[in-house]
Amino acid sequence: MSQAPTEDLLLSVRNLQVTFRGDEGLVHAVKNISFDLAQGQTLGIVGESGSGKSATALAIMGLLGESGRVTHGEVLFRPSGETPVDLIKVSPKRMLQYRGDRMAMIFQEPMTSLNPLFTCGYQVIEAIRQHQKVSAAEAEVRTIHLFNEVQLPHPEQLIARYPHELSGGQLQRVMIAMAISGNPQLIIADEPTTALDVTVQAAILDLLREIQRSRQMSMIFITHDLGILAEIADRAIVMNQGEVVEVDDTRNIFQSPQHPYTKGLIACRPRPDRQLRLLPTVSDFMEVQNGQMIEREPTDSRYLEVVPPEEIAARLVELQKQEPILSVDNLRIEFPIRSILGLKKRYMVAVNNISFDVYRGETLGLVGESGCGKTTTGRAILGLTSTVMGSVKFEGQEISQLRGEALQKLRCDLQVIFQDPYGSLNPRMTVGNAIAEPLLIHSYQERFQRYRSAAARCERAAYLLERVGLTKSAMRRYPHEFSGGQRQRICIARALALNPKLIVADEPVSALDVSVQAQVLNLLKELQTEFGLTYIFISHDLGVVKFMSDRIMVMNNGAIVELGAAEDIYTNPQETYTQKLISAIPKDMVLS
């Protein structure tokens, strides 16, 4: 592994240790890590949640907060023409001068990073005037120039807009503009594209590369997505449980990974160019013995088995021999928009006369960018949207106009898994009660009478928890006591409580680490076979959708752009929009 000469280094981290005070004592988040960052280089840090990558970034920036502190090590920062300084020993007052001027940070969620009470322009102007002695008028001119540089449309208008008036991609561009407003030499981007559509993600990555090149900055890019890492990083650090397990040039990391954890991370990413029966997970490549990670070969051959194309085609033929379980005909959904004076009523068309069928036991993937209508379509199928025109039939029954008790009974067969598992669970309700609640609500129905007793509901909840990979002891705990992946498993168990026939899964893995994502996707496939489930799987990630789906429906501006077999959509897309989505998928460096 080649190292940059000392005179070319911008940042040197040596033996860094970070701890946080928790309810159960000290948590050792970062354990004795060391790395270098050269001038003009992009260093990627990859790992799952809890690996210590964000804690490392916060330690460099001096943003650990009251509960965290650096217990050992040094962070040597060498701005051009200045004497190297240890950022750990710098006073808080002097650190304020470094942050936003010589170094800056882009956070994961721009909506929570920006103040909703102030316009986007005001907040960037404030950042400029904090570090530079310029007038408000001059700062405004610079802000418009920065908005142009980050390719925001109509910057003269956007400076007067509030954060809630911008899209996710636009908000992230505002955050990038703020970060580069002081012309820093180091920029840290912490998961800056996690919640973005694949095309917006690609645009943000292109923007960061261009800004880094034009301004000759160094960048630390933190992610859990190895595809993104391959797109942007020169060198990569792989972290696990607070330790660096591998560091090398990015190409070497992908083409010749040395550590079993790295091999597992690479293997468990869904790859659209091949269809595996099951996705491998990190635990398939390693196990911990006496505190040491030991490499092992996957024991389940299905993790390595590519499904033959003829088998995929034959399954689709068999599925389509049946009557559709769901038929949507000319579905149109409009939302009213009032003018400022409330004098004239206009409508926004969210879904524009779409028609499609879903067959029993099938997974239909819905893909498209934010605002394309895919989530609104899912909500209409579930009866969660009232302004519906057209026909939605489930097992031959028209459901679009059902209300009250009739709709409540139907929802036993139609369930949903939402994107945010934490927001989907009542924080004051134990997991056992959350899973049993649907059984209690519907116990008046004849088919659920056996669950009228608390003991029967408890038994059903325990079975479902065990079926999704958790233990019966989880029933007494609350949602905040679980990880993101575990909470999503709980939501899946709750969705299964009433033995549904169709489940709408709305971005169910977009917020999960790649290995946890693989576990949840495998679980959904296994449950589909066991319970005979039909899925409508909504996502902006074509790799995930292709792994899960028999057919894919591509939506844009409320309309169906393309609908066909998953393999055909990926390998031979007919429409320009579909081609754009596929071309925006991050391409890793793994050799086929």
Side-chain angles (χ1 to χ4, degrees), residues 147-148 150-159 161 170 173:
F147 279 14
N148 266 315
V150 299
Q151 300 168 22
L152 278 167
H154 313 296
E156 295 84 358
Q157 299 174 20
L158 285 186
I159 62 171
R161 298 276 182 86
Q170 289 175 328
R173 290 173 188 270

Side-chain angles (χ1 to χ4, degrees), residues 247-258:
V247 55
D248 204 340
D249 292 340
T250 305
R251 182 169 293 277
N252 293 340
I253 288 282
F254 276 90
Q255 295 188 351
S256 183
Q258 300 300 305

Side-chain angles (χ1 to χ4, degrees), residues 335-347:
F335 294 110
I337 305 173
R338 289 191 180 272
S339 66
I340 296 175
L341 299 177
L343 299 176
K344 183 180 179 182
K345 200 171 192 177
R346 296 181 296 118
Y347 290 89

Side-chain angles (χ1 to χ4, degrees), residues 5 78 176 179 186 201 214 249 270 278 280 282 339 406 442 467 572:
R78 299 178 173 89
I176 294 171
L186 169 64
Q201 172 182 277
S214 63
D249 292 340
L278 289 178
V282 169
S339 66
H442 293 278
R467 185 60 196 84
N572 189 28

Side-chain angles (χ1 to χ4, degrees), residues 252-304:
N252 293 340
I253 288 282
F254 276 90
Q255 295 188 351
S256 183
Q258 300 300 305
H259 196 277
Y261 180 74
T262 311
K263 294 177 182 179
L265 281 181
I266 293 172
C268 62
R269 286 185 63 243
R271 292 184 57 185
D273 60 333
R274 60 180 63 178
Q275 185 70 23
L276 298 177
R277 293 206 183 276
L278 289 178
L279 292 172
T281 63
V282 169
S283 60
D284 295 307
F285 288 82
M286 53 174 277
E287 59 184 341
V288 179
Q289 295 181 1
N290 300 322
Q292 298 293 319
M293 285 182 280
I294 308 299
E295 184 172 4
R296 70 178 184 185
E297 292 295 325
T299 55
D300 191 332
S301 61
R302 294 177 299 170
Y303 293 126
L304 306 174

